[in-house]
Every structure is written in C-alpha cells, then in structure tokens.
Amino acid sequence: MLNNIGLPGLLLIAVVVLVLFGRGKISSLMGEVGKGITAFKKGVDDGKKEIEEQASEVAKDVTPETDNEKA
C-alpha cells in the first residue's frame, strides 16, 4: 500500500504535517525522540555490560581443587 508514495507524496505529507503542527512543535518532538533513542542505547549498553560482568564473575575460578588446597 505504501510502496507507491514516492518523493512528491512524501513532500506533500511533510508540508501538511508542518502546517498542522508548526515548526516549533515538530522540532521539540524530534528532540524528545533523539533523547529517547539515546536513553535506549545507553540502557542496552548498560545491560550488555551487566551481563558480561556476571559472566566474568561466574567464570573467574574454574580450576578444580586439589588435595593439597583442601587442607
């Protein structure tokens, strides 16, 4: 359905949105979208770091105990 829009259709949609909402409203909305994307990326990075830290804690001591160490 949306495969046939093309450049003129996108320009028309952009003009209609600009007229309806105004430049200030759109720029503030885009700023909020940018902040949301940044927060999402930071959360994903923090989650990856936490998972890697947990995996490294589990994998720290994998050597088996010998009879000399048990005493």
Side-chain angles (χ1 to χ4, degrees), residues 30-69:
M30 290 299 117
E32 294 298 320
V33 168
K35 288 178 187 177
I37 291 171
T38 303
F40 177 76
K41 286 182 180 180
K42 185 178 184 291
V44 169
D45 289 340
D46 290 346
K48 284 181 184 177
K49 188 182 294 183
E50 184 178 325
I51 290 171
E52 289 173 359
E53 288 173 359
Q54 289 176 351
S56 67
E57 288 176 5
V58 170
K60 279 184 181 176
D61 188 19
V62 294
T63 57
E65 292 183 16
T66 61
D67 292 333
N68 295 339
E69 293 176 354

